[in-house]
């Protein structure tokens, strides 16, 4: 199974390092003419850095917030004598089973004026950063 996953990745990596015969089918894993010219082209492009920084920001902030809120919810569920614990548990179970949907989520994000903002991605629970 690992070979089935790693072989296409290795072929793409080999293709990116080989400048010879880019159009022909060659299944060897060793480049004929080793070159880093494609990597230099990508790194010279200034438009590549902003998406990478956005991804790093969303990953770090989303993970930290997700851990904080998950820990707070787990603490609440772990205490059996906490007032309102049963109600909180029912709310979590209902929220896990039935989602509000995409349109209500969009309307909430729009009402909070978070459209086209990174914080809107973090705040929305359907995004990968917020779950």
């Amino acid at each position: 199974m690992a070979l089935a996953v790693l072989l296409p990745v290795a072929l793409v990596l080999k293709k990116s390092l080989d400048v010879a015969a880019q159009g022909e089918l060659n299944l060897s894993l060793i480049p004929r003419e080793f070159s880093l010219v494609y990597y230099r082209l990508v790194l010279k492009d200034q438009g590549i850095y902003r998406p990478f920084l956005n991804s790093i920001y969303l990953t770090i902030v989303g993970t930290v917030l997700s851990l904080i809120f998950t820990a707070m919810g787990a603490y609440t569920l772990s205490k059996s004598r906490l007032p309102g614990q049963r109600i909180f548990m029912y709310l979590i179970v209902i929220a896990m089973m039935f989602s509000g949907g995409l349109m209500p989520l969009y309307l909430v994000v729009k009402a909070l004026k978070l459209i086209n903002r990174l914080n809107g991605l973090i705040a929305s629970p359907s995004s990968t950063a917020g779950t």
Side-chain angles (χ1 to χ4, degrees):
M1 290 300 287
L3 186 62
V5 172
L6 293 178
L7 188 61
V9 173
L11 285 173
V12 169
L13 182 65
K14 176 257 179 189
K15 202 76 153 150
S16 72
L17 294 171
D18 192 3
V19 291
Q22 280 296 323
E24 71 183 45
L25 179 64
N26 184 3
L27 296 179
S28 73
L29 293 176
I30 301 167
R32 279 192 253 165
E33 289 183 40
F34 181 81
S35 175
L36 296 174
V37 67
Y38 298 119
Y39 290 94
R40 286 188 194 112
L41 285 174
V42 169
L43 292 176
K44 281 182 185 176
D45 183 15
Q46 295 299 318
I48 196 77
Y49 296 111
R50 187 66 180 175
F52 276 123
L53 293 175
N54 288 346
S55 297
I56 291 169
Y57 172 77
L58 287 172
T59 301
I60 291 172
V61 173
T63 302
V64 167
L65 288 176
S66 180
L67 282 173
I68 289 170
F69 288 120
T70 302
M72 289 185 341
Y75 178 77
T76 305
L77 288 176
S78 70
K79 299 297 178 187
S80 61
R81 295 187 214 167
L82 202 60
Q85 188 262 350
R86 275 181 100 68
I87 295 170
F88 186 71
M89 186 173 72
Y90 287 127
L91 288 175
I92 288 179
V93 170
I94 289 171
M96 284 189 327
M97 291 184 158
F98 306 106
S99 172
L102 194 57
M103 286 305 296
L105 175 64
Y106 172 76
L107 293 174
V108 168
V109 171
K110 183 180 174 185
L112 293 173
K113 295 182 176 44
L114 293 175
I115 299 288
N116 292 331
R117 302 207 178 260
L118 288 176
N119 293 334
L121 286 174
I122 292 172
S124 62
S126 66
S127 70
T128 55
T131 56

